[in-house]
């Protein structure tokens, strides 16, 4: 149950557009594992084109090695596009579900904390609540810090998704026809 | 399914083998024919029975190998020698896993191979069915790409893409796993007209701006050097290399993988570089002011210490694979593109020059420390043996090697005249590669002798393919350089591990002092008797002990119409010189310690 404890090395957030096919995930994760790199978070979902999936990978590591990893990612036959957001202004979002011990005595204080963080309470039982929180890792980390004294029972996160600020979208090599 | 119509258009299509309802196995065979495959190397099994049935009597010849590793090396050797895609086939489970070493070998050296494996029926996949292995999972890290076909509709496209991916861009092995029920399923066969893989568009034409920068750097350089790697052979860039070297007066050094990329008898040819390279090549690399890397990848066996590698030169790096550029050595001008195209563009506009002083300087370095052969004292010098083969074949034979000292001697003493002549496992360093690769080459090469210089250790790893050679009536001249040892390991143990020859002796005898004394080779017991091995396959063989016996043995070998084995007994103490110790700088070439 570790939420964003290690803050020293900035994680690279890498977006990878891939063909939505079996085996692609294994190819991509294989590039990291073959170099002994641990992926901090990985999220996968389809894009507006159901044949293209977008993976967002957060990974820490030596600058040069990560550059090589990005080149290797690009080389994979099923990879359409790779973007490292390290030097691009971008938005990052992660969704966390956090189950916290809560009883009569603590519940109202927890509700207050949630209000401040604009988090939602999505389940209540006699002994616990589940909080849904969306934000970047830092914000989720801050909330978790506040919740820890109450007793965190379980945490589940979607992993970061990212998008560059501004009008420009990730273009794939094949120019998309304007709608 | 579809009733035959008498429509004219359809009849033409069927004539082409299209539009007919075929089984997956038949589609496989049709695809091989369409891709121009004349033979396929491999071994059948339960999950390949439909495929082998379709191959039976077809235009594609089945070459039955004795081990799937041999099949992969044969496909690889055929591909290296001809430039065509080599194809191998293996059954599910153990057949597939036996291919792994061969495909990894091809992958490291960027050789176009397509490997077909059978797989258990789709409904059994993941059930630990008999002879099931996660073949795509195992192959993934050792291939350029791989596919599992779970739907018969995909089969034609996948096979076409497999060949396309294998031979284009930076070539490499592609693996296609075909479950047995897909081989039996039926489909109206259509062969896609063109290939469009949106995520795979190899960049072939270099960026004009970078090309211009390269031209400018070459124009300003006083001591330029072409550093040529295996990519030059893959790209077919020999003529373009020669043209650039001649117009701009640039001397040429090359890696193990590029033996033959530039003709050894050209006046601008300097020689092999790297750990066991020529002194002059390495010193020129260290002293040039411009290093033009052509399809090479700055491998650690070439650069020695990266920190000190050619430290005062500017660097141009031309490579079709962008991930190679800047990987180990910082580069001033990167050019991503096909070498042949890029070199032609550079040569067009490059300044004419002859760099006489620089070339003379390199020649002087070479005169100071050329490759040398020790005077033999009634023994057999491996370097001399290889040189004799070189003379006899004018440097134009197809030469395959195992891995070890004999490989390095072959590299030093068999400089090639043309590309696609020198077949060696450079990247992975796979012992056992030589003989099956040579055998594979014989399926494409008919006008030149095919010679395999093998080590006694390496040959024992794949000599089982003698059966294939005999069955196929193919001729390879096998020269086993027998030093009773895993010689290259022994060399390192002698030089760097206090002569503690741990696990490197292939014989009965204890010979702790073999680095000091010259053993009587005729008295040593050796396992096995290679001559008897050859005889067991109905082949002729001779064992030689002295330089004087070489000519006679080679004469017999050349005259033979079958595979012929020469066993050359040498002293275990023979070493490969010069040597740059691992991790040392190229300046620290040890010429000889004896
Ligand atoms: C499959 C494989 N296993 C181990 C090695 C490590 N290795 C490199 S050279 C060598 C010795 C090769 O012996 P031999 O074939 O007799 O050649 P020699 O060096 O004696 O000429 C060994 C064991 C290797 N390259 N490949
Ligand atoms: Mg040996």
């Amino acid at each position: 149950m570790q939420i964003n404890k290690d803050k020293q090395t900035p994680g690279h957030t890498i977006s990878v557009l891939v063909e939505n096919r079996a085996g692609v995930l294994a190819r991509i994760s294989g590039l990291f594992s073959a170099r002994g790199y641990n992926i901090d978070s990985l999220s996968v979902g389809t894009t507006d084109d159901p044949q293209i999936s977008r993976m967002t990978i957060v990974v820490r590591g030596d600058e040069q090695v990560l550059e090589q990893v990005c080149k290797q990612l690009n080389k994979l036959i099923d990879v359409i596009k790779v973007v490292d957001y390290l030097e691009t202004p971008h938005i990052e979002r992660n969704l966390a579900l956090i189950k916290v011990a809560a009883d009569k005595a603590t519940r109202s204080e927890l509700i207050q904390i949630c209000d401040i963080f604009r988090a939602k309470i999505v389940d209540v039982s006699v002994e616990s609540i589940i909080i849904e929180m969306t934000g970047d890792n830092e914000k989720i980390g801050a909330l978790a810090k506040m919740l820890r004294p109450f007793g965190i029972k379980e945490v589940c996160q979607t992993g970061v998704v990212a998008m560059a600020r501004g009008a420009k979208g990730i273009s794939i090599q094949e120019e998309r026809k304007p709608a | 399914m579809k009733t035959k119509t008498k429509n004219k258009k359809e009849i033409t299509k069927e004539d082409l083998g299209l539009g007919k309802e075929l089984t997956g196995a038949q589609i496989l065979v049709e695809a091989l024919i369409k891709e121009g495959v004349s033979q396929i190397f491999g071994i059948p099994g339960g999950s390949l029975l439909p495929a082998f049935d379709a191959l039976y009597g077809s235009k594609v010849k089945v070459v039955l190998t004795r081990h799937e590793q041999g099949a992969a090396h044969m496909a690889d050797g055929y591909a290296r020698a001809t430039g065509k895609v080599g194809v191998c086939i293996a059954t599910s489970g153990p057949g597939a896993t036996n291919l792994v070493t061969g495909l990894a070998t091809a992958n490291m050296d960027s050789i176009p191979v397509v490997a077909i494996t059978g797989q258990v029926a789709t409904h059994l996949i993941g059930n630990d069915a008999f002879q099931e292995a996660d073949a795509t999972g195992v192959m993934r890290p050792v291939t350029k790409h791989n596919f599992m076909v779970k739907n018969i509709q995909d089969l034609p496209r996948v096979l076409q893409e497999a060949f396309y991916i294998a031979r284009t861009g930076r070539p490499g092995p592609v693996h296609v796993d075909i479950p047995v029920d897909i081989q039996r399923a039926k489909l109206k066969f259509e062969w896609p007209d063109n290939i469009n893989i949106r995520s795979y568009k190899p960049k072939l034409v270099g960026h004009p701006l970078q090309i211009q920068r390269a031209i400018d750097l070459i124009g300003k350089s006083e001591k330029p050097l072409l550093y040529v790697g295996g990519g030059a052979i893959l790209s077919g860039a020999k003529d373009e290399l020669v043209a650039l070297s001649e117009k701009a007066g640039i001397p040429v050094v090359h890696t193990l993988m590029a033996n033959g990329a530039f003709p050894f008898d050209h006046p601008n040819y300097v020689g092999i570089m790297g750990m066991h390279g020529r002194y002059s090549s390495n010193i020129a690399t260290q002293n040039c002011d411009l290093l033009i890397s052509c399809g090479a990848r700055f491998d650690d066996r070439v650069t020695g210490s990266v920190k000190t590698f050619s430290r005062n030169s500017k660097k141009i790096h031309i490579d079709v694979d962008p991930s190679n550029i800047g990987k180990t050595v910082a580069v001033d001008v990167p050019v991503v593109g096909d070498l042949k195209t890029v070199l032609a563009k550079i040569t067009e506009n490059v300044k004419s020059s002859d760099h006489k002083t620089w070339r003379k300087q390199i020649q002087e370095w070479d005169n100071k420390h050329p490759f040398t052969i020790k005077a033999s004292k009634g023994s057999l010098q491996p370097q001399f043996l290889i040189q004799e083969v070189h003379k006899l074949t004018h440097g134009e034979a197809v030469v395959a090697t195992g891995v070890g000292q004999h490989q390095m001697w072959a590299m030093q003493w068999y400089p090639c005249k043309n590309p696609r002549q020198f077949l060696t496992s450079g990247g992975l360093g796979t012992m056992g590669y030589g003989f099956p690769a040579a055998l594979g080459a014989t399926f494409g090469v008919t006008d030149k002798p095919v010679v395999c210089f093998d080590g006694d250790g390496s040959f024992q790893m794949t000599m089982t393919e003698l059966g294939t050679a005999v069955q196929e009536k193919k001729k390879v001249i096998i020269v086993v350089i027998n030093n009773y040892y895993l010689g290259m390991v022994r060399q390192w143990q002698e030089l760097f591990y206090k002569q503690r020859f741990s696990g490197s002796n292939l014989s009965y005898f204890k010979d702790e002092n073999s680095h000091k004394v010259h053993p009587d080779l005729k008295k040593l017991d050796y396992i096995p008797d290679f001559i008897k091995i050859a005889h067991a396959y109905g082949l002729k063989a001779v064992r030689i002990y002295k330089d004087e016996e070489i000519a006679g043995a080679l004469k017999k070998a050349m005259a033979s119409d079958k595979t012929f084995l020469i066993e050359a007994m040498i002293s275990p103490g023979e070493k490969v010189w010069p040597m740059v110790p691992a991790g040392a700088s190229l300046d620290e070439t040890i010429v000889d310690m004896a």
Side-chain angles (χ1 to χ4, degrees), chain A residues 34-52:
Chain A
R35 290 167 176 77
Y37 275 56
N38 182 34
I39 294 176
D40 281 2
S41 87
L42 170 78
S43 71
V44 192
T46 49
T47 60
D48 61 328
D49 179 344
Q51 286 173 8
I52 299 179

Side-chain angles (χ1 to χ4, degrees), chain B residues 455-457 481 483-487 506:
Chain B
D456 46 335
I481 299 183
N483 52 7
Y484 301 74
Y485 267 89
L486 299 171
L506 287 163

Side-chain angles (χ1 to χ4, degrees), chain A residues 19 21 23 26-28 49 51-52 64 67-68 71-72 74-80 172-174, chain B residues 140 143-147 157 161 165 170 196-201 321-328:
Chain A
E19 294 291 345
R21 281 191 196 134
R27 267 177 229 289
I28 292 192
D49 179 344
Q51 286 173 8
I52 299 179
Q64 227 187 326
E67 193 192 319
Q68 182 58 212
K71 283 181 175 174
Q72 295 289 341
N74 255 317
K75 227 169 104 171
L76 292 176
I77 308 292
D78 288 331
V79 168
I80 303 168
I172 65 173
Q173 278 151 338
E174 231 179 28
Chain B
R140 195 174 294 127
T143 51
K144 180 173 174 184
H145 194 57
N146 58 8
F147 297 94
R157 178 188 54 82
E161 287 185 6
I165 292 169
R170 178 178 180 177
N196 181 16
I197 310 173
R198 67 174 154 192
S199 53
Y200 177 72
K201 300 254 156 44
D321 178 359
S323 75
N324 266 346
I325 295 181
K327 187 168 66 181
T328 48

Side-chain angles (χ1 to χ4, degrees), chain B residues 174-498:
Chain B
V174 178
H175 162 231
V176 184
D177 201 25
I178 313 178
V180 67
D181 54 326
I182 303 293
Q183 295 170 38
R184 281 193 227 106
K186 287 190 168 167
L187 177 75
K188 208 177 102 198
F189 179 54
E190 299 289 344
W191 191 239
D193 289 333
N194 51 26
I195 294 183
N196 181 16
I197 310 173
R198 67 174 154 192
S199 53
Y200 177 72
K201 300 254 156 44
K203 202 172 162 215
L204 297 180
V205 189
H207 196 287
L209 204 85
Q210 301 294 13
I211 290 180
Q212 190 51 50
R213 290 179 62 208
I215 292 169
D216 294 345
L217 275 186
I218 296 172
K220 276 185 226 143
S221 163
E222 278 166 15
K223 296 186 288 177
L225 191 65
L226 281 159
Y227 151 47
V228 179
I233 290 174
L234 297 169
S235 157
K238 178 189 165 192
D239 293 345
E240 289 72 13
L241 264 176
V242 171
L244 174 60
S245 165
E246 286 179 355
K247 184 171 177 195
I250 310 177
V252 177
V253 300
H254 66 90
T255 67
L256 169 67
M257 294 309 299
N259 188 358
F262 190 88
F264 75 92
D265 51 0
H266 192 284
N268 288 357
Y269 178 83
V270 180
I272 181 81
M273 64 185 306
M275 181 175 272
H276 293 295
R278 267 186 122 80
Y279 174 81
S280 55
S281 301
N282 286 344
I283 299 303
T285 305
Q286 292 302 75
N287 288 283
C288 65
D289 66 4
L290 176 66
L291 191 70
I292 310 160
S293 166
C294 303
R297 59 186 174 88
F298 298 87
D299 179 86
D300 55 282
R301 283 292 187 267
V302 161
T303 60
S305 152
V306 176
K307 261 194 214 143
T308 60
F309 176 75
S310 192
R311 47 185 162 326
N312 300 320
S313 65
K314 292 238 187 287
K315 289 169 192 78
I316 299 171
H317 190 165
I318 311 167
D319 204 305
V320 76
D321 178 359
S323 75
N324 266 346
I325 295 181
K327 187 168 66 181
T328 48
V329 170
V331 171
D332 300 277
V333 179
V335 190
V336 178
D338 174 44
L339 188 66
K340 189 179 171 79
T341 328
V342 172
L343 286 178
K345 289 239 170 75
I346 292 178
T347 307
E348 222 176 271
N349 294 311
V350 83
K351 199 175 90 183
S352 287
S353 205
D354 75 351
H355 298 295
K356 229 181 179 162
T357 359
W358 170 230
R359 287 196 289 137
K360 204 172 136 233
Q361 164 76 77
I362 296 175
Q363 187 57 53
E364 274 163 23
W365 283 323
D366 200 53
N367 295 344
K368 195 163 136 202
H369 295 297
F371 283 151
T372 48
I373 303 177
K374 272 189 284 177
S376 90
K377 299 168 209 125
S379 63
L380 195 149
Q381 299 300 117
Q383 300 90 339
F384 182 69
L385 166 64
I386 296 162
Q387 193 184 46
E388 287 301 293
V389 177
H390 192 269
K391 268 191 209 152
L392 198 66
T393 56
H394 314 289
E396 289 179 320
V398 170
V399 170
T401 77
V403 169
Q405 294 180 305
H406 65 281
Q407 176 191 29
M408 295 296 104
W409 288 320
M411 164 189 92
Q412 295 177 337
W413 294 93
Y414 204 103
C416 295
K417 179 122 178 164
N418 285 301
R420 306 205 168 280
Q421 261 182 263
F422 198 74
L423 321 177
T424 196
S425 169
L428 200 66
T430 308
M431 285 172 70
Y433 171 78
F435 177 52
L439 195 49
T442 62
F443 285 85
V445 176
T446 47
D447 55 342
K448 286 174 241 163
V450 177
V451 181
C452 173
F453 292 111
D454 227 337
D456 46 335
S458 294
F459 185 54
Q460 285 186 67
M461 288 202 180
T462 48
M463 64 185 180
T464 179
E465 300 304 343
L466 281 167
T468 313
V470 172
Q471 185 174 0
E472 294 296 329
K473 301 191 171 65
K474 292 291 182 185
K475 178 179 172 184
V476 174
I477 299 176
I478 306 166
V479 182
V480 176
I481 299 183
N482 190 345
N483 52 7
Y484 301 74
Y485 267 89
L486 299 171
M488 188 55 99
V489 174
R490 188 194 179 287
Q491 172 163 345
W492 287 57
Q493 288 171 335
E494 181 180 332
L495 298 175
F496 308 116
Y497 288 86
K498 303 186 179 141

